[in-house]
Amino acid sequence: MTVNMTKGQAISLQKNDGGSLTAVRMGLGWQAAPRRGLFGSRTREIDLDASAVLFADKQPVDVVFFRHLVSDDGSVRHTGDNLVGGVGQGGDDEAILVDLSRVPVHIDQIVFTVNSFTGQTFQEVQNAFCRLVDETNGQELARYTLAGGGAYTAQIMAKVHRSGSGWTMTALGNPANGRTFQDLMPAILPVL
């Protein structure tokens, strides 16, 4: 059963049987919004990039993105860069896999971001979503839809953070501006 998340909503990543999730996939999907022009509707390719920034005590210690596909410890892995979106027609265009059982104990938060590398705004994006999937069985656990576009080029999507002996996901959905995860650090720090 999928939980459709709203901004700021948190869900536990405990399984229904009381066990903890061991591996999750954060999927990102999008399509370019058609634009009306003199000669009808057309779309322009949009290159969105998913990133995961790993934090220990509010300090960034590693990042996984299209130029660094695997975290230094091997627990977080990006599946590769998609330059246009919409390939899966509703499926994940980019994904980041997190082996929660292998995340080092000093890592207490993983923040997922999305940014427009080419600098296009979210007004030019449609059907964008972020979802969390139990990687062991393929079950979608939560989905956060990016609704309403906007004159910004990035979004702080969600974070997975330690909660007792397990993990919790919080949908953030905070708009920001920047073409890379480095540009987004000032917007990330307040949500830690």
Side-chain angles (χ1 to χ4, degrees):
M1 176 177 85
T2 299
V3 175
N4 287 311
M5 298 184 72
T6 58
K7 185 175 179 173
Q9 182 180 1
I11 63 165
S12 170
L13 298 184
Q14 296 292 109
K15 288 188 172 189
N16 291 338
D17 64 7
S20 294
L21 290 174
T22 57
V24 294
R25 177 177 71 235
M26 180 65 69
L28 169 67
W30 75 92
Q31 294 175 325
R35 295 173 26 182
R36 298 223 181 271
L38 187 59
F39 301 106
S41 292
R42 60 191 165 100
T43 58
R44 184 173 147 201
E45 292 178 350
I46 296 183
D47 179 11
L48 295 184
D49 291 319
S51 301
V53 185
L54 289 70
F55 288 88
D57 198 27
K58 299 188 179 188
Q59 297 298 314
V61 294
D62 201 356
V63 65
V64 173
F65 70 117
F66 69 93
R67 289 190 179 143
H68 185 241
L69 294 175
V70 180
S71 62
D72 293 340
D73 59 54
S75 66
V76 181
R77 185 172 52 89
H78 195 296
T79 60
D81 196 13
N82 180 320
L83 302 177
V84 297
V87 174
Q89 300 299 319
D92 298 338
D93 293 312
E94 289 194 13
I96 297 175
L97 307 169
V98 182
D99 184 342
L100 294 169
S101 63
R102 290 185 53 203
V103 174
V105 291
H106 71 285
I107 303 294
D108 53 10
Q109 297 186 67
I110 302 170
V111 177
F112 298 94
T113 66
V114 58
N115 54 276
S116 172
F117 187 73
T118 50
Q120 294 152 298
T121 69
F122 277 65
Q123 291 168 323
E124 299 178 61
V125 177
Q126 70 180 10
N127 301 324
F129 65 87
C130 169
R131 69 188 191 129
L132 193 70
V133 176
D134 180 341
E135 194 61 12
T136 61
N137 63 16
Q139 179 185 1
E140 184 174 281
L141 303 169
R143 177 178 286 259
Y144 179 66
T145 302
L146 289 119
Y152 48 87
T153 59
Q155 194 156 109
I156 313 306
M157 297 292 294
K159 69 178 178 177
V160 175
H161 50 99
R162 291 191 190 271
S163 179
S165 62
W167 293 84
T168 297
M169 176 187 171
T170 301
L172 299 168
N174 295 346
N177 281 299
R179 293 179 45 199
T180 66
F181 74 89
Q182 294 100 325
D183 297 340
L184 302 179
M185 291 309 287
I188 293 172
L189 296 176
V191 303
L192 298 177

